[in-house]
Amino acid sequence: MVFNFFKKKSQSGGGRPTAKDYEAIGKQVAALYDAINPDCAGLYRTAFLKGVATGLGGVVGATIVIALLAWIMSVLGQVPFLGPISENVQETIQKQRQ
């Protein structure tokens, strides 16, 4: 943003700034303030949505990684520490069905 006030002395042609010059500077300062300080509600909304997307992405990503690791382990064979856990889960499911 270029301040027109600094390019020329004044709108009246004299050396001293006039009321119109100060009004023009005020409008430019207001425009600069609006450009630098956006709406707070918009910032809160954006930050909330960013947080929700980050949390959801983390959960989905971790689920995919764990599922891939479990699939790779099942393809490679028995895993010592998962054997007893899976047997307990299968027994519990069979007991619930009876």
Side-chain angles (χ1 to χ4, degrees):
M1 173 180 235
V2 177
F3 290 100
N4 293 329
F5 177 75
F6 296 111
K7 288 186 174 182
K8 57 185 178 177
K9 286 289 185 185
S10 68
Q11 292 179 359
S12 63
R16 303 198 77 178
T18 63
K20 288 184 181 182
D21 293 330
Y22 289 121
E23 185 178 340
I25 291 173
K27 288 180 182 179
Q28 290 176 351
V29 168
L32 182 63
Y33 178 80
D34 290 340
I36 292 173
N37 297 318
D39 180 28
C40 287
L43 287 176
Y44 291 139
R45 187 178 326 110
T46 303
F48 174 74
L49 292 176
K50 182 179 176 183
V52 168
T54 302
L56 184 63
V59 168
V60 170
T63 303
I64 290 172
V65 168
I66 290 172
L68 285 174
L69 286 174
W71 178 74
I72 290 171
M73 287 181 188
S74 69
V75 169
L76 293 177
Q78 288 289 337
V79 179
F81 62 91
L82 289 180
I85 295 173
S86 65
E87 289 174 6
N88 287 338
V89 170
Q90 288 176 354
E91 289 175 9
T92 304
I93 291 173
Q94 288 176 358
K95 287 180 184 178
Q96 292 295 326
R97 288 185 182 178
Q98 292 175 357

